[in-house]
Amino acid sequence: MRGPYDVLVVGAGAVGLSIAYELARRGASVAVIEKEAEAGFGVSKGHAGVIHVLQLPLGSLKSRLAIYGNKMYDKWAAELGVKPWRLPALLVASSPLQLPLVLLLYPFLRAYYGRRGFAISLVSGRELREREPNLNALGAIRVDGYAVADPFELTYRLYEAAKEMGAEFYFNVEAELLEESEEGVKVKSSAGAFSSRYAVNAAGLYSDLLAGERLKPKRGVMVVFDRLQAKSIVAPISLSQLVRAETKGGGIIPTAWGHTIWGPGFSEGDKEDTAVYPQDVMALLSRFGSLVRRKGRLLKGYAGVRPASPARDFMMFYSPRKRIVHLVGIESPGFTALPALALMVLKMLQRSGLSLGAPRLPRPPKPLTRELLAAGKEVRGEKGKILCHCMRVSVGDVLEAMERGASTLDGVMFRTKLGMGPCQGQHCMGRAAALLLKLRGEVTKSGGNSWIAR
Amino acid sequence: MDSTLVIGAGLSGLYLARELSRRGLEVRLVETRERAGGISLIDPEAKGIVERLTSQLEVETGKTVVRAAGRLLILSSEGAEEVRGGIVATGFRSKSAAEMGIWGDRPAGVFHFRSALDLLLEGFKIGERVVAYGANRYSVLLAERLLESSREVYLLDPALPPQLEVPPEVKAMRAKVRYVKGRGRLSKLVLDVGELEADALVLSSFEPWNPFPELLPVGHAAIEVYEPRALMESAEIFVENLLCEGSYVELSVRGELAIFPTPLKSCARRFMVVMREGRAIVNGSPYEVRGHLTLPLPPGTSRVEVREA
Ligand SMILES: Cc1cc2nc3c(=O)[nH]c(=O)nc-3n(C[C@H](O)[C@H](O)[C@H](O)COP(=O)(O)OP(=O)(O)OC[C@H]3O[C@@H](n4cnc5c(N)ncnc54)[C@H](O)[C@@H]3O)c2cc1C
């Protein structure tokens, strides 16, 4: 039996990692078990990276945590060496018929957003053309306070910082059962038993199984273009924005690295189904196609599955003896809520008797070649050789990614952005895979039977 | 005098560097990979000339041109150097799965042509049942090469060109790939004509691509041709056009074809019309084109008008 730890966290997604980081930096002994080969290979690898403002319905747990999370984000992320890009969201009317909607919705949205500290304003057609010359739009409602962040960067910084603070990670290990007693928790896993005083069930799409609940997953498909189409998050205005958050068909979402995401779409889903179907893509193209003038090249499509609860809200609750905190239904805006959600879990554990110290700060991350170049610096030696010219990823960056815990090609890509530029890996994926094969004797895309070459 | 930089040491870059130095220019040839030859390394017709040129010229391997903070830099183990000018010979790009209308899962085993080639040249096996999607001279050469390491090799294309010679061991099929399926490794392709079990898909439909549009492209970075002779000829024409002195020719191009080189000068003695297959009307006269056609540019020409017939 491994342990006893103060806290055992099931799941190394963005949520489990945030909790492990916040616990470990306050001196708790933490173990994280994860069924995949690496951190962040669950829901957290397929989302849109938007830091939302609030989520309807108002008053829901997810809305409250999103608001707190949003306001905490910049400082929290800065401690990890990550800088979100703050930008407004525009709800745009693209036809004269939609213009009245702008005026109709404005007072309602001003009440929703304005009262919670998010600036909201009307944007005329002329102002819109000045700010967003690449859009076909006649007028808009502008909401300030949104941001986008690189989901991978944040996930891997959380992982590294948690590890630096002493959290232990067990990959390719699946939790089968959480048993609590007066003294603590015993976790049965595919790699034997773990014991801990407390446990957190942050198993994403599968947390329902460990908590005796049942999720109703929803799929979301996104497509990616190779250029920045706008400087704001953009969504077509519609009446449904009064009752639902704007996630229904998603938006036009700029990324910090110069691409644009359309989506995510929204449909009933199956936990394991992350396929992209042509009809999903068609739906996105018809929703946003006429809104954008120069689109750039369509690079790829990907899908994520939202761990949605039947009530469509986050569920955070204790086990009967309050030794386990279950997190179920952490769908969108889970990424937004991270800082607030982690602190709430800490509070719940403290109320059950866990004592914690003052938080320590992680060391700043080592810069990638791309970042060094942007600062006018250079890298010499064999490690300075470039594998991916689009995203300026060097041999040294790949080796460093492995040093920091990447064990798969996806892990390397997600950490370095190798192959994520306009040429989609033509000149680097083969060479990077060959490099890993030579160093380790094998290479998989994402663990399991996802071998790449032999 | 500053030397002329050639980016990419495939057949086009090598041949261009040779042509430029034959005319007395000082040339620098940089290559991101550790060996010269590019896509022509699997082309038996180009092998000899690639080897000869590689031994005659000084190829700086392991040097990559990138764009960083608005500038072009050559990066290598020796650090960074700023690029002031140059000629782009970085080759084709293969179209992505999304561009080819292929959706579905995102399993391991879907390769861009160059990545598959890089792994093969390093001696690795990329799959047991491999499908090359997009039929052309290079995918046939790759398929032949794959026969050495893979059990079954398919060549698929929605419009299999009839004149393409495919060895009998390669199973050529007219089909469109719609989805890929596989958790982990690729297991199946869904085609318009049924399903095909496969564990590797090589995206082999090419398009010219110049990653540094501020510089002039040559070879596969500029035109879609498949014969080594056409590449060498295009490099010769490029150099003639580059080095002669004359005014620019006004160009008008309509339809699925291209003129090379652009911008074209009135002093260039020839130019190319590039087109998959069909009839082109060039300044009023009709021509059959299959791949490319080199035409003389009469002295004093001020305008070239090309359109698909
Ligand atoms: C399409 C889409 C778009 C989204 N866009 C946004 C957005 O723009 N903004 C936003 O704020 N939020 C967004 N979200 C929501 C956000 O992605 C999630 O809330 C967040 O990633 C959930 O993280 P998690 O750690 O709970 O889940 P996961 O990342 O899935 O982590 C759970 C981990 O637990 C592991 N696991 C499961 N069962 C076991 C077990 N038995 N034993 C061991 N390990 C186990 C899994 O492998 C997984 O790695 C989006 C979600 C989707 C699907």
Side-chain angles (χ1 to χ4, degrees):
Chain A
M1 173 132 49
R2 289 213 176 79
Y5 299 96
D6 287 335
V7 185
L8 188 126
V9 178
V10 181
V15 170
L17 291 169
S18 304
I19 294 163
Y21 161 67
E22 293 293 357
L23 286 168
R25 72 197 286 225
R26 288 175 173 79
S29 72
V30 178
V32 183
I33 59 179
E34 167 57 56
K35 71 181 172 70
E36 298 293 330
E38 288 198 40
F41 275 17
V43 181
S44 303
K45 84 168 173 198
H47 70 77
V50 177
I51 297 166
H52 288 279
V53 292
L54 53 86
Q55 291 278 303
L56 299 176
L58 297 172
S60 58
L61 180 58
K62 66 180 180 183
S63 186
R64 277 182 289 142
L65 287 177
I67 294 170
Y68 286 126
N70 181 308
K71 299 202 164 150
M72 292 166 72
Y73 232 92
D74 290 353
K75 182 167 174 283
W76 183 72
E79 288 180 355
L80 291 157
V82 177
K83 195 170 165 6
W85 172 21
R86 288 278 168 187
L87 76 188
L90 299 173
L91 300 174
V92 301
S94 51
S95 75
L97 281 177
Q98 287 177 323
L99 268 180
L101 266 186
V102 169
L103 296 175
L104 183 72
L105 283 184
Y106 181 65
F108 292 97
L109 295 182
R110 193 178 49 193
Y112 289 175
Y113 293 91
R115 231 183 271 149
R116 284 158 191 90
F118 299 106
I120 176 162
S121 53
L122 285 170
V123 186
S124 72
R126 194 170 46 79
E127 289 167 320
L128 207 52
R129 276 191 298 281
E130 245 163 57
R131 184 183 160 87
E132 298 291 358
N134 198 30
L135 295 183
N136 290 311
L138 304 174
I141 298 175
R142 168 181 168 141
V143 182
D144 283 295
Y146 282 84
V148 291
D150 178 349
F152 297 120
E153 187 185 9
L154 193 84
T155 299
Y156 290 114
R157 279 303 298 148
L158 283 167
Y159 167 64
E160 286 161 20
K163 223 163 56 165
E164 179 194 328
M165 304 289 177
E168 290 175 22
F169 284 84
Y170 297 90
F171 291 108
N172 299 308
V173 175
E174 181 165 354
E176 285 153 3
L177 191 68
L178 310 180
E179 277 176 353
E180 67 173 340
S181 61
E182 287 305 330
E183 297 77 50
V185 185
K186 203 170 125 193
V187 179
K188 289 195 178 142
S189 84
S190 57
F194 288 77
S195 82
S196 61
R197 295 173 56 216
Y198 302 92
V200 178
N201 168 13
L205 276 167
Y206 303 91
S207 67
D208 58 344
L209 302 180
L210 296 171
E213 292 286 332
R214 209 179 159 84
L215 289 172
K216 279 205 165 150
K218 310 277 182 221
R219 257 158 42 81
V221 167
M222 289 146 283
V223 293
V224 185
F225 293 86
D226 71 348
R227 74 195 299 270
L228 217 51
Q229 297 168 347
K231 294 184 294 189
S232 324
I233 297 169
V234 180
I237 195 155
S238 91
L239 263 185
S240 69
Q241 273 137 3
L242 279 185
V243 282
R244 249 187 268 108
E246 61 280 25
T247 52
K248 180 90 196 187
I252 294 168
I253 303 166
T255 73
W257 58 97
H259 288 170
T260 302
I261 298 172
W262 287 6
F266 190 92
S267 54
E268 295 305 314
D270 169 301
K271 285 183 181 180
E272 301 284 333
D273 187 8
T274 52
V276 175
Y277 301 101
Q279 58 269 31
D280 300 325
V281 177
M282 288 306 147
L284 290 173
L285 297 185
S286 74
R287 181 171 158 87
F288 300 116
S290 60
L291 219 54
V292 181
R293 296 209 170 102
R294 292 186 55 200
K295 299 179 181 66
R297 192 179 268 143
L298 178 61
L299 290 179
K300 64 178 168 199
Y302 64 102
V305 183
R306 302 175 177 89
S309 70
R312 300 300 311 275
D313 199 2
F314 293 177
M315 297 164 70
M316 302 173 70
F317 55 92
Y318 285 119
S319 58
R321 293 195 163 98
K322 300 198 172 180
R323 289 278 169 182
I324 305 170
V325 175
H326 292 291
L327 302 174
V328 179
I330 313 298
E331 55 164 322
S332 195
F335 180 67
T336 307
L338 291 175
L341 190 150
L343 288 194
M344 184 162 160
V345 171
L346 258 56
K347 279 221 183 82
M348 289 175 78
L349 293 171
Q350 281 171 309
R351 252 186 268 135
S352 296
L354 177 71
S355 55
L356 294 169
R360 287 178 293 150
L361 282 178
R363 281 193 300 270
K366 254 203 205 165
L368 292 162
T369 299
R370 179 170 54 246
E371 292 154 356
L372 290 172
L373 289 171
K377 296 188 188 127
E378 56 182 343
V379 189
R380 287 169 183 274
E382 278 303 298
K383 287 186 178 179
K385 285 189 176 171
I386 296 295
L387 286 173
C388 166
H389 69 82
C390 300
M391 302 308 286
R392 286 142 283 149
V393 180
S394 68
V395 170
D397 292 333
V398 172
L399 299 177
E400 175 71 18
M402 292 170 67
E403 187 86 355
R404 293 194 198 173
S407 62
T408 65
L409 196 57
D410 272 358
V412 168
M413 280 177 58
F414 295 163
R415 284 172 173 88
T416 61
K417 295 218 148 39
L418 178 99
M420 290 187 161
C423 88
Q424 289 289 291
Q426 331 227 353
H427 293 290
C428 62
M429 294 305 270
R431 290 197 285 159
L435 177 71
L436 299 191
L437 269 161
K438 285 182 199 161
L439 287 173
R440 310 171 62 117
E442 61 147 38
V443 58
T444 67
K445 181 172 183 287
S446 50
N449 75 333
S450 67
W451 63 280
I452 289 180
R454 288 172 169 154
Chain B
M1 194 182 77
D2 269 1
S3 61
T4 304
L5 177 70
V6 178
I7 306 166
L11 178 58
S12 299
L14 286 163
Y15 202 81
L16 178 75
R18 208 274 306 256
E19 286 296 293
L20 290 168
S21 43
R22 267 197 338 144
R23 288 164 191 250
L25 268 79
E26 189 158 329
V27 182
R28 252 190 101 180
L29 179 53
V30 296
E31 164 59 47
T32 182
R33 291 178 171 75
E34 297 302 328
R35 70 178 120 180
I39 202 170
S40 296
L41 286 169
I42 49 159
D43 188 344
E45 272 181 49
K47 200 164 173 258
I49 177 98
V50 162
E51 278 167 10
R52 202 163 66 243
L53 291 172
T54 307
S55 67
Q56 286 167 1
L57 296 160
E58 195 193 317
V59 183
E60 299 176 46
T61 54
K63 297 202 173 178
T64 311
V65 175
V66 305
R67 186 191 310 283
R71 297 177 308 164
L72 294 185
L73 302 173
I74 304 175
L75 300 183
S76 71
S77 55
E78 289 143 42
E81 297 167 69
E82 186 151 359
V83 172
R84 296 242 157 60
I87 300 163
V88 181
T90 48
F92 275 146
R93 67 183 286 276
S94 44
K95 292 182 194 158
S96 68
E99 285 172 275
M100 311 223 7
I102 306 173
W103 304 102
D105 297 327
R106 294 174 62 78
V110 180
F111 300 93
H112 273 282
F113 188 93
R114 284 308 316 258
S115 290
L117 183 57
D118 284 328
L119 284 163
L120 284 179
L121 292 173
E122 292 280 354
F124 297 111
K125 169 157 74 177
I126 62 160
E128 290 294 358
R129 290 169 65 91
V130 187
V131 173
Y133 187 45
N136 50 59
R137 190 154 170 280
Y138 292 113
S139 60
V140 172
L141 292 169
L142 183 86
E144 282 181 41
R145 179 80 175 225
L146 282 166
L147 288 170
E148 295 167 17
S149 57
S150 303
R151 259 188 287 145
E152 279 173 84
V153 181
Y154 294 83
L155 182 66
L156 265 50
D157 194 302
L160 211 53
Q163 71 277 15
L164 200 68
E165 280 176 40
V166 184
E169 303 90 325
V170 174
K171 299 181 183 87
M173 267 166 66
R174 198 172 162 151
K176 185 164 169 33
V177 180
R178 295 198 187 282
Y179 306 96
V180 293
K181 287 192 173 178
R183 298 274 153 78
R185 181 78 189 192
L186 176 67
S187 62
K188 201 187 274 176
L189 301 178
V190 179
L191 313 174
D192 56 350
V193 291
E195 293 189 340
L196 182 63
E197 262 175 51
D199 65 357
L201 173 67
V202 182
L203 300 167
S204 312
S205 185
F206 297 107
E207 189 174 80
W209 184 50
N210 177 2
F212 310 112
E214 60 267 65
L215 307 178
L216 290 176
V218 70
H220 287 153
I223 49 176
E224 189 186 347
V225 295
Y226 293 90
E227 303 294 327
R229 266 177 299 112
L231 285 175
M232 292 187 277
E233 194 181 358
S234 74
E236 282 169 16
I237 296 175
F238 180 89
V239 172
E240 282 166 16
N241 186 59
L242 184 75
L243 298 185
C244 74
E245 298 227 353
S247 52
Y248 291 116
V249 176
E250 197 187 318
L251 299 177
S252 150
V253 182
R254 272 185 294 154
E256 291 287 303
L257 37 68
I259 289 186
F260 180 83
T262 50
L264 181 66
K265 293 186 205 156
S266 58
C267 54
R269 301 202 317 272
R270 337 170 250 172
F271 68 102
M272 282 174 141
V273 176
V274 185
M275 183 180 193
R276 272 269 172 79
E277 179 156 28
R279 280 160 69 83
I281 313 284
V282 184
N283 282 354
S285 316
Y287 296 90
E288 288 291 330
V289 192
R290 183 177 284 182
H292 81 282
L293 182 73
T294 302
L295 292 172
L297 186 71
T301 308
S302 62
R303 181 176 161 83
V304 173
E305 211 183 293
V306 190
R307 64 186 167 83
E308 226 179 313

